[in-house]
């Protein structure tokens, strides 16, 4: 299994992603966040790691998520083995859900948010992932699920790393990976501060606890001082 959530806020240009899998080092291949452009998760039976590079270039040209997906499919004769989610600069999403991926294969899109997973224990994992994220970030989660523009809670972007981990935790508790879940990654890019990139490449147990431990070190005063002195452009 790989399960991913990607988010883009068109009003601020913030991009975020979080992913987890039953394999090793998921952050090296799957989740990508590009401030001002969008976000991507590339996964599936056999991940195509070059989707991200191509998707970023297409988004930079102003293509929509749907158009990017069509280009990726056209360029890849084995796209039936892939799962890919794209969110563009307008917060719209599109997917590849290849027929040769292992069930359950699910995806879900609402404004500014996309969630996708394969080899899932059950079909409720995706909804738990998205529902938790919306509850923790918006004041109108029910309306967002029917297509209304999100109304974001004050300061949600500052809390986003914690929110991504909390949302992933609920997805895993809903079923997660048939094999177990051993690696996870999140990335947040904005125009207001340095990127946050947190990875656990392998944990035999307590994956979420390991993610929170890494985040706790990121939030320590010494590292925060370092981040504040990094350029934003």
């Amino acid at each position: 299994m790989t399960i991913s959530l990607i988010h883009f806020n068109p009003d601020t240009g913030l991009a975020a992603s979080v992913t987890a899998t039953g394999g090793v080092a998921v952050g090296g291949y799957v989740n990508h966040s590009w401030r001002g452009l969008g976000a991507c998760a590339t996964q599936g039976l056999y991940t195509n790691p070059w989707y991200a590079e191509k998707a970023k270039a297409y988004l930079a040209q102003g293509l929509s998520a749907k158009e990017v997906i069509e280009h990726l499919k056209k360029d890849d004769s084995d796209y039936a083995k892939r799962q890919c989610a794209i969110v563009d600069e307008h917060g719209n999403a599109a997917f590849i859900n290849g027929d040769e991926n292992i069930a359950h294969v699910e995806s879900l899109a609402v404004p500014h948010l996309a969630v996708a997973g394969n080899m899932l224990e059950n079909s409720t994992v995706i909804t738990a992932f998205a529902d938790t994220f919306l509850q923790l970030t918006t004041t109108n989660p029910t309306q967002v699920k029917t297509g209304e523009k999100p109304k974001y809670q004050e300061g949600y972007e500052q809390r986003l790393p914690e929110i991504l981990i909390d949302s992933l935790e609920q997805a895993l508790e809903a079923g997660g990976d048939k094999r177990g879940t051993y690696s996870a990654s999140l990335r947040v890019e904005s125009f207001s501060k340095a990127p946050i990139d947190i990875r656990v490449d392998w944990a035999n147990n307590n994956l979420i606890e390991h993610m929170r431990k890494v985040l706790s070190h990121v939030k320590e005063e010494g590292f925060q001082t370092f981040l504040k002195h990094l350029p934003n452009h």
Side-chain angles (χ1 to χ4, degrees):
M1 174 212 82
T2 307
I3 184 169
S4 301
L5 179 152
I6 56 177
H7 163 61
F8 187 81
N9 185 335
D11 294 331
T12 64
L14 176 140
S17 57
V18 63
T19 187
T21 192
V24 64
V26 68
Y29 301 94
V30 172
N31 65 309
H32 305 270
S33 310
W34 306 301
R35 64 180 187 172
L37 288 180
C40 168
T42 172
Q43 52 200 46
L45 180 64
Y46 296 107
T47 300
N48 186 328
W50 312 116
Y51 273 8
E53 181 180 346
K54 293 178 180 180
K56 184 179 182 181
Y58 288 134
L59 290 171
Q61 295 172 26
L63 273 65
S64 69
K66 183 177 180 181
E67 290 170 329
V68 172
I69 287 294
E70 291 306 312
H71 276 287
L72 294 178
K73 291 167 66 176
K74 183 179 179 181
D75 294 342
D76 182 7
S77 61
D78 282 328
Y79 74 84
K81 298 180 173 68
R82 323 295 185 206
Q83 186 177 45
C84 182
I86 303 286
V87 174
D88 62 30
E89 64 180 345
H90 302 293
N92 299 319
F95 303 93
I96 294 173
N97 288 308
D99 293 338
E100 296 182 29
N101 288 300
I102 299 174
H104 290 285
V105 178
E106 302 280 346
S107 60
L108 179 156
V110 298
H112 306 180
L113 180 69
V115 184
N118 59 80
M119 205 188 299
L120 300 174
E121 182 66 28
N122 57 63
S123 59
T124 65
V125 177
I126 294 293
T127 54
F129 210 171
D131 287 351
T132 304
F133 184 85
L134 293 174
Q135 289 288 341
L136 294 175
T137 58
T138 71
T139 61
N140 61 334
T142 301
Q143 290 76 20
V144 174
K145 287 188 285 186
T146 64
E148 185 175 301
K149 181 180 177 180
K151 298 177 182 178
Y152 289 109
Q153 297 176 21
E154 184 177 355
Y156 93 95
E157 291 189 353
Q158 286 68 46
R159 305 191 308 273
L160 201 47
E162 291 89 345
I163 289 169
L164 293 170
I165 294 173
D166 290 346
S167 302
L168 176 61
E169 180 178 38
Q170 291 303 309
L172 297 182
E173 289 184 357
D177 194 323
K178 294 178 179 180
R179 306 163 295 171
T181 311
Y182 299 108
S183 69
S185 168
L186 72 82
R187 185 170 178 88
V188 179
E189 285 196 13
S190 74
F191 288 100
S192 62
K193 59 180 64 178
I196 299 296
D197 195 335
I198 293 174
R199 304 184 185 193
V200 173
D201 286 339
W202 186 267
N204 286 320
N205 49 51
N206 299 322
L207 177 61
I208 294 296
E209 181 180 325
H210 281 79
M211 288 288 285
R212 288 188 173 125
K213 184 175 182 179
V214 176
L215 178 58
S216 72
H217 291 301
V218 169
K219 294 177 73 67
E220 288 177 351
E221 182 178 354
F223 196 73
Q224 285 296 305
T225 299
F226 166 75
L227 289 178
K228 288 175 182 178
H229 284 83
L230 298 183
N232 294 327
H233 59 276

